[in-house]
Amino acid sequence: VPYDSRYYEASMKASVETMIGPAKASFTARGGLPFSTKNEYYYNNYSGSSYSGGDHDGKVKGFNVGADAWFRLPLNTSLVLPFLVKFDYKKLNRKAEGQGMGGWDDYYERHTYQDKSLAITAGGGIDYTPVKDTKVAGGLYYTYLKNTTDFTYMYTNYPNVGSYWNRYDH
């Protein structure tokens, strides 16, 4: 489903770090909200020998949250084992309203487009410092990703029906 969204996002982040014996642990929480949003949805249908379409304007609303936890266990002065657990979740609603289907003045349409995304990462690695100011690092991390899109299209004052809507969930 095509859309054209523009928005800024206000983000916040807070971190805390502590020592647990010889190991260093840190936790970061973050979040954000869209502002100064604009969403446009334009479509053009061709059926038989005629065209119809709509031009809709609206806003974007939603939020995102996330957190990560690092645990760094030193084995000696030059070798450290880092471990990470991280998650991020984002939900955006895109709404738009406007006149549609050209020829019907009383034909009104509205659509809602919702995106949800979840990412969870876990893993660990190794940091090696062979000489001062030189670090070699590597790791193995697994990320689980899930994205969901829901699209609802509503017609009000639809000819001979009153109202009608379609819903598409993925």
Side-chain angles (χ1 to χ4, degrees):
V1 176
Y3 59 84
D4 184 8
S5 297
R6 290 175 296 283
Y7 57 91
Y8 294 95
E9 189 170 276
S11 298
M12 297 175 287
K13 178 170 99 167
S15 297
V16 64
E17 190 172 275
T18 187
M19 297 297 290
I20 302 173
K24 183 193 289 187
S26 64
F27 177 78
T28 301
R30 61 192 163 275
L33 299 168
F35 69 95
S36 187
T37 69
K38 185 175 183 179
N39 184 57
E40 296 175 356
Y41 175 63
Y42 174 80
Y43 73 94
N44 198 357
N45 288 332
Y46 177 74
S47 177
S49 62
S50 65
Y51 284 96
S52 62
D55 188 6
H56 306 157
D57 296 311
K59 302 228 178 259
V60 177
K61 294 182 180 181
F63 66 93
N64 71 65
V65 294
D68 58 66
W70 280 97
F71 184 72
R72 297 178 57 80
L73 178 63
L75 298 180
N76 57 42
T77 57
S78 62
L79 191 60
V80 177
L81 299 178
F83 300 95
L84 167 69
V85 176
K86 174 181 175 180
F87 88 92
D88 287 294
Y89 179 76
K90 186 171 194 170
K91 180 178 176 182
L92 287 178
N93 293 319
R94 293 175 174 87
K95 294 187 178 184
E97 297 181 351
Q99 192 69 35
M101 301 301 277
W104 296 313
D105 290 336
D106 63 342
Y107 194 84
Y108 189 76
E109 303 173 38
R110 180 181 70 180
H111 87 273
T112 303
Y113 187 95
Q114 184 179 85
D115 286 322
K116 296 180 206 170
S117 63
L118 172 68
I120 301 171
T121 301
I126 188 167
D127 284 357
Y128 178 62
T129 308
V131 294
K132 185 179 178 185
D133 296 330
T134 302
K135 184 183 278 193
V136 178
L140 184 60
Y141 298 89
Y142 173 79
T143 302
Y144 168 80
L145 300 171
K146 181 176 182 182
N147 294 312
T148 305
T149 299
D150 298 328
F151 180 68
T152 303
Y153 204 89
M154 180 183 284
Y155 314 92
T156 56
N157 296 326
Y158 189 73
N160 304 321
V161 176
S163 79
Y164 174 77
W165 62 275
N166 293 319
R167 183 172 178 161
Y168 306 98
D169 298 333
H170 297 55

